[in-house]
Amino acid sequence: MSDMNIRVAVVYHSGYGHTARQAEAVARGARTLTGCDSLLVKVEDIDQYWDTLETVDAIIFGAPTYMGSVSAQFKAFMDATSHAVFAKGGTWANKVGAGFTNSASHAGDKLSSLIQLALFAAQHKMHWVNLGLPPGNNSSTTSQEALNRDSYFLGAGAQSNADQGPDQAPSASDLKTAEHLGARVARVALELAVGRKALA
């Protein structure tokens, strides 16, 4: 499609390791696009990456859903952007944004977290990319092995049983769904980069 190189950052928090596996899958998916480099950024390390995030083409946000919201650690990162990014005039404006989340329950109010992430991206004037998959497990002919098995549209959802560690969960289908999101975001970011170059 192009010889341009793009960078996708995956900024995430993981309380027990499950969301970290999801984040790794998102980053892996982004790298499947030729010319795309992906970067994993834990919110605990964010102070080392503010300048780097100004240079990437896309930022994909990820957090576990606790009590119907993103984790407190991820919310602290969101709040920190009010000074580190927003107050500086919107250095993330026109970047591509997307999101993912994980919970122990199949629904787990994950949509609330995805909406929170999408609104966060909008506040930073980013272009939100949805998951781009149909519902995966909503008839007698589908199964838990389908992509988007919990049927989210706004972003990628994953489910990890509370009594299983990150070596067992999320499921393979949830990780493949996360890879799909990463690849989709990378492609959109590349399309935008090519379009901007052509317009210039």
Side-chain angles (χ1 to χ4, degrees):
M1 181 176 180
S2 169
D3 58 358
M4 294 185 68
N5 294 316
I6 60 167
R7 295 185 77 197
V8 175
V10 181
V11 180
Y12 73 98
H13 170 251
S14 183
Y16 300 97
H18 305 94
T19 310
R21 289 197 64 207
Q22 193 182 15
E24 290 161 2
V26 170
R28 188 165 58 246
R31 289 193 303 272
T32 63
L33 189 74
T34 301
C36 179
D37 181 35
S38 60
L39 171 69
L40 283 166
V41 178
K42 297 178 181 179
V43 295
E44 297 92 329
D45 301 327
I46 194 61
D47 287 339
Q48 303 172 37
Y49 290 98
W50 290 121
D51 291 342
T52 301
L53 293 180
E54 291 186 12
T55 68
V56 301
D57 300 279
I59 307 174
I60 307 175
F61 305 106
T65 295
Y66 296 153
M67 303 303 292
S69 177
V70 297
S71 61
Q73 293 90 333
F74 193 88
K75 183 60 169 65
F77 153 72
M78 293 170 69
D79 291 347
T81 66
S82 65
H83 299 290
V85 181
F86 194 87
K88 292 170 66 174
T91 56
W92 292 355
N94 298 318
K95 294 184 186 297
V96 174
F100 60 93
T101 188
N102 174 78
S103 69
S105 299
H106 278 280
D109 293 317
K110 286 191 282 282
L111 179 59
S112 176
S113 291
L114 291 174
I115 291 171
Q116 192 175 12
L117 294 175
L119 178 57
F120 173 64
Q123 290 174 323
H124 286 292
K125 305 174 187 175
M126 301 174 76
H127 301 299
W128 186 262
V129 174
N130 60 48
L131 181 58
L133 285 173
N137 185 27
N138 64 352
S139 74
S140 61
T141 62
T142 59
S143 74
Q144 290 289 319
E145 282 70 50
L147 294 184
N148 196 23
R149 65 187 178 120
D150 286 336
S151 304
Y152 289 96
F153 293 97
L154 197 57
Q159 183 266 330
S160 301
N161 290 331
D163 60 348
Q164 291 182 318
D167 57 326
Q168 296 176 286
S171 69
S173 60
D174 288 345
L175 296 178
K176 288 178 183 176
T177 300
E179 289 178 3
H180 171 89
L181 177 67
R184 178 171 167 83
V185 168
R187 186 167 191 85
V188 170
L190 178 59
E191 289 169 349
L192 279 174
V194 170
R196 286 171 181 147
K197 183 177 180 181
L199 288 172

